[in-house]
């Protein structure tokens, strides 16, 4: 394998095919309710980056989500309960506990995955996640996106790199798996800046990474910037080149959860090529083979 895929790791860990079920829990974040900001991150849609999540009581959400993938899921499959949209630890523990425990209850659910912000991981929340980790695997996903202050300000991330570092340290100390997101193609970022973020993630202590192409969704503030001619998006080949450099900077044991982001096609403004996911993945594999891209090649040169 040219890189360590999530599917490969899941089969090693659980001995079967495992699918993610996108759920909705907390429906706001401090970057929307006025605590940090009011309009959210510049690329974030009205769904809080949870375009594919369903709503309702957690047990009902699980059944609906399973029904959506029923045609391609073998009977013995396992599931990851994935609270994806908004900031899923931005609520009192009294509210979070029943949400998370209900999601973990079905025997076919093998893990809980929680998307959140580093500045929403107080001691009580960390204690809860550590407690749940004793029952089943718990992952926490953090949207770092970039290490560069200018870019972080532009996308209105609203927390410091130091906050990210503290969160990763606390989560790892408690045995909780950390997955970090990076956006490739942020306005103004050079190749060197993008690779600096990848290097930082590789050394952060996280066990997984998600790479996202910057894509523009209708109704976001980024869409307004794009339509005003202030934002350029990457062509496919340019994205593959930058992605390859990031993959090669990851440690060989790092699990690569995603190689590109994709929003709902109905809302995608640009780049339109990213909407054809099957083609993107096919062309990406071809690029990796032609250029002999192997995860860890540049990590070893730097750190071993």
């Amino acid at each position: 394998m040219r890189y360590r895929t999530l599917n490969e790791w899941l089969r090693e860990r659980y001995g079967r095919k495992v699918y993610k079920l996108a759920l909705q829990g907390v429906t706001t974040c401090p970057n929307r309710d006025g605590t940090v900001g009011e309009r959210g991150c510049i690329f974030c849609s009205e769904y809080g980056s949870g375009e594919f999540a369903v709503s309702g009581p957690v047990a009902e959400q699980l059944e609906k989500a399973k029904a959506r993938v029923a045609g391609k899921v073998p009977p013995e499959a396992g599931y990851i309960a994935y609270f994806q949209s908004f900031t899923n630890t931005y609520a009192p523990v009294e509210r979070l506990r029943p949400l998370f425990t209900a999601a973990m209850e079905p025997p076919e659910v093998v893990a809980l995955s929680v998307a959140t912000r580093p500045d929403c991981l107080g001691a009580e929340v960390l204690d809860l996640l550590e407690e749940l980790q004793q029952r089943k695997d718990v992952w926490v996903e953090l949207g770092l996106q970039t290490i560069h202050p200018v870019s972080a300000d532009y996308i209105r991330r609203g927390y410091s790199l130091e906050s990210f570092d503290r969160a990763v340290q606390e989560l790892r100390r408690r045995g909780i798996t950390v997955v970090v997101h990076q956006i490739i193609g942020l306005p103004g970022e050079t190749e060197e800046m993008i690779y600096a973020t990848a290097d930082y993630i590789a050394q952060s202590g996280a066990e997984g990474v998600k790479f996202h192409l910057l894509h523009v969704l209708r109704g976001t503030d980024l869409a307004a910037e794009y339509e005003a001619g202030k934002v350029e998006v990457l062509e496919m080949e340019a994205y593959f080149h930058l992605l390859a450099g990031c993959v090669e900077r990851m440690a060989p044991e790092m699990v690569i959860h995603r190689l590109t982001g994709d929003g709902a096609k109905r809302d995608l403004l640009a780049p339109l090529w990213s909407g054809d996911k099957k083609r993107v993945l096919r062309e990406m594999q071809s690029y990796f083979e032609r250029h002999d891209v192997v995860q860890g090649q540049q990590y070893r040169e730097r750190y071993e």
Side-chain angles (χ1 to χ4, degrees):
M1 292 292 291
R2 295 191 172 275
Y3 53 90
R4 193 173 189 206
T5 68
L6 177 60
N7 281 337
E8 174 191 11
W9 184 84
L10 290 171
R11 283 195 178 276
E12 290 174 6
R13 177 76 174 172
Y14 303 111
R16 52 179 163 162
K17 185 73 173 175
V18 177
Y19 295 82
K20 270 192 173 182
L21 302 177
L23 309 175
Q24 190 177 94
V26 179
T27 55
T28 188
C29 83
N31 212 1
R32 287 177 180 256
D33 70 0
T35 302
V36 172
E38 295 181 347
R39 298 186 62 81
C41 293
I42 196 170
F43 51 78
C44 198
S45 72
E46 63 180 305
Y47 308 105
S49 296
E51 283 81 4
F52 304 109
V54 294
S55 59
V58 170
E60 184 179 311
Q61 288 189 56
L62 285 169
E63 292 307 312
K64 288 180 180 178
K66 284 195 287 185
R68 288 177 63 174
V69 297
K72 60 180 180 180
V73 174
E76 70 278 6
Y79 296 97
I80 299 161
Y82 180 28
F83 286 94
Q84 177 181 19
S85 53
F86 302 101
T87 302
N88 286 285
T89 60
Y90 188 52
V93 166
E94 294 75 19
R95 181 181 172 196
L96 298 177
R97 184 185 298 277
L99 286 174
F100 295 163
T101 53
M104 298 174 76
E105 185 176 355
E108 65 272 21
V109 172
V110 298
L112 171 73
S113 183
V114 179
T116 190
R117 295 166 56 91
D119 55 354
C120 294
L121 288 166
E124 289 188 350
V125 171
L126 288 166
D127 288 345
L128 171 62
L129 295 174
E130 184 177 19
E131 173 192 323
L132 297 174
Q133 170 73 19
Q134 307 310 309
R135 305 183 198 179
K136 294 182 179 180
D137 289 342
V138 175
W139 309 351
V140 170
E141 298 197 11
L142 300 174
L144 175 64
Q145 319 305 4
T146 180
I147 62 169
H148 304 289
V150 172
S151 300
D153 289 345
Y154 174 78
I155 64 175
R156 304 195 301 251
R157 190 180 67 192
Y159 67 81
S160 68
L161 192 57
E162 290 74 20
S163 177
F164 168 80
D165 291 338
R166 285 194 300 271
V168 173
Q169 183 179 18
E170 281 299 314
L171 289 164
R172 294 300 302 122
R173 187 171 67 82
R174 295 164 185 262
I176 295 165
T177 296
V178 179
V179 182
V180 181
H181 295 229
Q182 177 179 357
I183 293 178
I184 297 172
L186 290 172
E189 289 208 346
T190 64
E191 185 170 320
E192 290 73 21
M193 292 171 73
I194 291 166
Y195 293 158
T197 294
D199 285 330
Y200 198 91
I201 291 171
Q203 289 288 294
S204 68
E207 293 125 310
V209 61
K210 282 187 174 182
F211 295 112
H212 298 269
L213 163 72
L214 180 72
H215 57 272
V216 184
L217 297 179
R218 199 181 318 276
T220 63
D221 287 351
L222 182 62
E225 294 268 290
Y226 173 75
E227 290 168 337
K230 297 178 181 179
V231 172
E232 295 183 1
V233 293
L234 293 170
E235 295 297 330
M236 187 186 293
E237 191 86 356
Y239 178 70
F240 293 164
H241 169 74
L242 294 167
L243 175 66
C246 292
V247 168
E248 290 188 337
R249 282 166 167 77
M250 295 300 110
E253 64 272 14
M254 178 84 80
V255 181
I256 297 182
H257 288 237
R258 181 182 285 273
L259 287 167
T260 185
D262 56 328
K265 287 185 181 180
R266 65 180 182 274
D267 295 325
L268 181 65
L269 292 179
L272 293 178
W273 60 262
S274 68
D276 188 347
K277 191 171 183 179
K278 288 184 178 179
R279 179 195 170 210
V280 171
L281 293 175
R282 183 175 65 250
E283 296 286 345
M284 184 186 299
Q285 296 303 325
S286 175
Y287 182 95
F288 281 14
E289 289 170 8
R290 292 197 314 273
H291 295 271
D292 195 25
V293 176
V294 178
Q295 179 180 341
Q297 285 184 142
Q298 297 198 48
Y299 179 89
R300 289 192 174 97
E301 292 174 8
R302 285 168 169 75
Y303 306 116
E304 293 184 359

